[in-house]
Amino acid sequence: MRTQHIHTISDTEDFKHKLLLWSQQFDDVVWLDSNNYEQKYSNFDAVLAVDAFTSIQTDVHQGFEKLKEYQSITKDWIFGYLTYDLKNDVEDLTSQNFDGLQFPDLYFFQPNKLFLFKGNQVDIHYLNAVADELASDLESIRHCEEARRSNLPNDIKIKLRIHKDQYFEKVTTLLSHIHRGDIYEANFCQEFYAEDTAINPLETYLKLNAISKPPFATFLKCNDKYLLSASPERYLKKEGNRIVSQPIKGTAKRATNLEEDAQLKSDLAESDKERSENTMIVDLIRNDLSKTAIKGTVHVEELCRVYTFKQVHQMISTVTSEVELNTHPVDIIKSTFPMGSMTGAPKISAMKIIEALEETKRGLYSGAVGYFTPAGDFDFNVVIRSILYNETKRYVSYSVGGAITAKSDPLKEYEECLLKAKAMREVLEN
C-alpha cells in the first residue's frame, strides 16, 4: 500500500531540478518529462520514480512472460524499459551484432518513492514502509544544490561504426531488397560511439534536454547504466480500454528565418516520399493493433500531421483502438513489439534484413521506456535521439536511423542521419 500526499509548488521548474539532483543517490531512477509540451494524450507533466522495492532484470528468453508475471503480482506502479532485442522473444529472430553497452534486455522496478507532476502540483506516493521518510526527503530536496565537481576532460572522440562509403553500400543493398519485393520499407540504423570515456550523466541529460525540449524526454539509471533521451515519439499508451500509437516518420530541419522555416515545414507536409514512409508504417501499426482490438475499433485519428520541435519538424500519425478490459496489458505490448517506426515493413522480413546489415546490437536504442499503473494502464516512448552510457565500461553510444524506401537517395538518407545525430554530438563534444 502507498501513502499519498499532494503538494502545491511555487516554482515547479526549480523543484524539478532539485528533485533530479536528489534522485542521483539511488541505483534505480526513471525520470519522464513532457517539457510542458501540449499533448492530447498526456497524463502528467513529469514523473520521477526512484529506489527499487522490488525489480526484475532478464534476458530475452520468455522476457514478456516474466514481465507479465511480475506486473500481475505487483499490481502497483512499475517503471522500466524493453530493449529492441525482445523481438527475439516475439519472433524466431536473433541479435548477433556487437554490443558495447551490455544493458539487460528487460528491466522494471517497483519504486519506493514516486512523484507525479501536473501544473503546479506534485502528487507524491510513498510505499508505507518508507512513508515516514517523506518529510526529511522533502527537506533534502529543497536544500539540494549542485555538487561542486572537478570538470571532466572534454576530449570525447566520437567514432563511426559504419563509415560513409560503407553506409552507401548497405543502403544500396537495402534498395535492391526493396526493388526485388522482399520488403517495401526498412529502418536502417548506425552507431556513433566513444570508448574509454567518462561523462556526467545528469549534466549531459540536462544539456540534451535543453537543446531539444521534446515531449518524451527520459533520464534513466539502472545501477551503472544510463539512458539520456530526448525522444519526441510515443510508442504505445493504454488508458482504460483505449490504445494509442503515435509513429513518427518524416523529418525536416528547422531554419532561424521564419519564412524559410515555414517553407521547410510545408515541404515536409507535401513530400510524397515522407508521406509514403509514414503511411506504410501506419498500415503496419493498424495491423499490429488489430491483433488485440475489438473488431472495427482501429482508427487513424491523424495522418501525416507535421509537428514542430526545437531541432526539427516531424511528421506524426495517431492510430487508436479499443481492447476488451480483460486483455492483459503486457499482451498488447507484445503483439505490437518492436514498434513499426523502428523496423520497416513487412516487419519480420525487415528485421531480418536490417539485422544482417547493421553493425551494432540495438539494445535499448529503438526499444521503449515507460511505466504501468496499478490499474494496468501504461505509457511508453520510443528510445531515439538518445545517449546511452555504461559507466563501468566507460562506453558512450548514440545511434540514429532512417526509413529506406524505393524513393530513397543514399546521400539524403545519410544527411538526415547526421541531422538527427546533431544534438547528441553537440552535447558530448562541447
Side-chain angles (χ1 to χ4, degrees):
M1 292 291 288
R2 290 186 180 271
T3 306
Q4 183 179 4
H5 297 267
I6 297 177
H7 289 257
T8 302
I9 307 157
S10 55
D11 186 341
T12 312
E13 291 310 308
D14 180 63
F15 185 81
K16 283 181 184 174
H17 185 70
K18 287 179 170 174
L19 188 66
L20 263 174
L21 291 171
W22 169 82
S23 74
Q24 300 306 294
Q25 65 189 290
F26 300 105
D27 287 333
D28 304 87
V29 180
V30 170
W31 167 256
L32 306 168
D33 192 351
S34 75
N35 283 298
N36 303 313
Y37 197 85
E38 286 300 314
Q39 290 183 76
K40 182 178 174 182
Y41 290 107
S42 179
N43 285 351
F44 308 107
D45 296 338
V47 178
L48 176 74
V50 295
D51 192 21
F53 174 61
T54 65
S55 66
I56 176 176
Q57 281 189 35
T58 179
D59 61 12
V60 295
H61 181 64
Q62 292 191 320
F64 281 106
E65 276 309 304
K66 291 169 188 168
L67 175 60
K68 194 170 169 178
E69 184 184 12
Y70 179 65
Q71 191 275 333
S72 301
I73 289 167
T74 51
K75 285 232 183 313
D76 191 12
W77 292 91
I78 59 170
F79 289 75
Y81 68 69
L82 307 158
T83 62
Y84 172 79
D85 303 292
L86 284 158
K87 66 182 173 60
N88 308 339
D89 183 41
V90 182
E91 304 293 347
D92 184 18
L93 299 166
T94 58
S95 297
Q96 304 292 350
N97 290 328
F98 173 77
D99 178 13
L101 285 159
Q102 308 278 311
F103 278 56
D105 290 318
L106 180 150
Y107 152 77
F108 279 83
F109 73 98
Q110 177 188 13
N112 273 314
K113 304 173 181 186
L114 177 60
F115 300 77
L116 308 166
F117 289 85
K118 196 77 182 168
N120 65 344
Q121 289 195 322
V122 58
D123 188 1
I124 303 171
H125 297 246
Y126 271 39
L127 283 178
N128 288 349
V130 296
D132 58 353
E133 295 174 21
L134 178 59
S136 65
D137 281 353
L138 285 173
E139 196 59 26
S140 299
I141 292 160
R142 284 193 189 100
H143 293 98
C144 222
E145 297 298 335
E146 297 270 4
R148 289 198 178 280
R149 59 179 173 271
S150 55
N151 280 338
L152 292 164
N154 192 10
D155 55 355
I156 294 177
K157 300 279 184 285
I158 304 289
K159 300 180 190 174
L160 288 78
R161 188 71 61 193
I162 298 173
H163 288 276
K164 192 173 178 180
D165 291 349
Q166 214 185 348
Y167 179 86
F168 288 173
E169 279 171 27
K170 287 172 182 283
V171 170
T172 304
T173 303
L174 272 171
L175 287 167
S176 67
H177 279 289
I178 291 166
H179 296 142
R180 205 164 59 215
D182 303 333
I183 49 171
Y184 43 91
E185 180 170 346
N187 193 285
F188 178 58
C189 300
Q190 56 175 322
E191 184 195 20
F192 298 78
Y193 67 99
E195 296 161 302
D196 198 24
T197 294
I199 61 171
N200 181 301
L202 181 59
E203 188 181 292
T204 306
Y205 164 75
L206 292 171
K207 281 183 185 169
L208 184 63
N209 190 48
I211 287 176
S212 304
K213 292 265 180 233
F216 295 97
T218 304
F219 175 92
L220 178 143
K221 176 185 179 187
C222 170
N223 298 304
D224 62 340
K225 296 170 188 75
Y226 294 85
L227 166 72
L228 322 167
S229 176
S231 174
E233 184 172 0
R234 169 178 274 125
Y235 157 42
L236 205 61
K237 175 173 181 164
K238 175 182 180 287
E239 195 164 4
N241 73 332
R242 188 179 178 79
I243 308 301
V244 181
S245 180
Q246 293 183 293
I248 291 180
K249 269 285 157 274
T251 305
K253 66 183 180 187
R254 298 289 313 272
T256 46
N257 176 299
L258 289 176
E259 270 181 42
E260 194 187 332
D261 196 51
Q263 188 60 51
L264 287 164
K265 184 176 180 175
S266 166
D267 290 348
L268 175 60
E270 289 164 20
S271 163
D272 287 344
K273 176 192 176 286
E274 305 289 2
R275 291 185 77 89
S276 71
E277 273 184 28
N278 196 299
T279 308
M280 283 180 207
I281 296 307
V282 166
D283 284 343
L284 188 155
I285 285 166
R286 285 168 59 203
N287 182 56
D288 279 352
L289 290 182
S290 70
K291 294 173 192 169
T292 56
I294 296 167
K295 203 173 166 136
T297 64
V298 178
H299 294 293
V300 179
E301 212 169 82
E302 261 182 354
L303 184 65
C304 299
R305 184 174 160 192
V306 176
Y307 288 78
T308 297
F309 300 92
K310 270 186 89 169
Q311 294 273 309
V312 287
H313 300 292
Q314 300 274 202
M315 192 180 275
I316 304 178
S317 293
T318 300
V319 191
T320 62
S321 69
E322 289 172 25
V323 295
E324 300 286 1
L325 283 170
N326 62 355
T327 308
H328 199 284
V330 175
D331 288 336
I332 299 164
I333 294 170
K334 184 180 179 181
S335 67
T336 62
F337 198 84
M339 62 291 299
S341 63
M342 295 308 295
T343 59
K347 206 171 185 179
I348 297 169
S349 305
M351 286 192 286
K352 284 180 178 168
I353 290 165
I354 55 186
E355 176 68 33
L357 289 170
E358 290 176 0
E359 297 290 332
T360 308
K361 180 180 167 178
R362 288 195 188 176
L364 185 46
Y365 171 70
S366 78
V369 172
Y371 60 86
F372 293 87
T373 71
D377 288 342
F378 58 71
D379 201 0
F380 283 86
N381 72 3
V382 177
V383 179
I384 51 175
R385 320 286 157 85
S386 300
I387 295 168
L388 290 142
Y389 177 46
N390 184 319
E391 193 171 30
T392 305
K393 291 196 169 295
R394 294 171 59 83
Y395 189 89
V396 179
S397 166
Y398 60 91
S399 291
V400 289
I404 310 302
T405 67
K407 293 179 179 172
S408 288
D409 169 348
L411 179 60
K412 285 189 176 151
E413 294 297 341
Y414 190 74
E415 285 168 353
E416 185 182 309
C417 282
L418 297 183
L419 173 65
K420 289 173 178 172
K422 189 176 160 220
M424 279 97 71
R425 184 157 210 151
E426 231 170 80
V427 163
L428 288 171
E429 290 191 335
N430 299 325

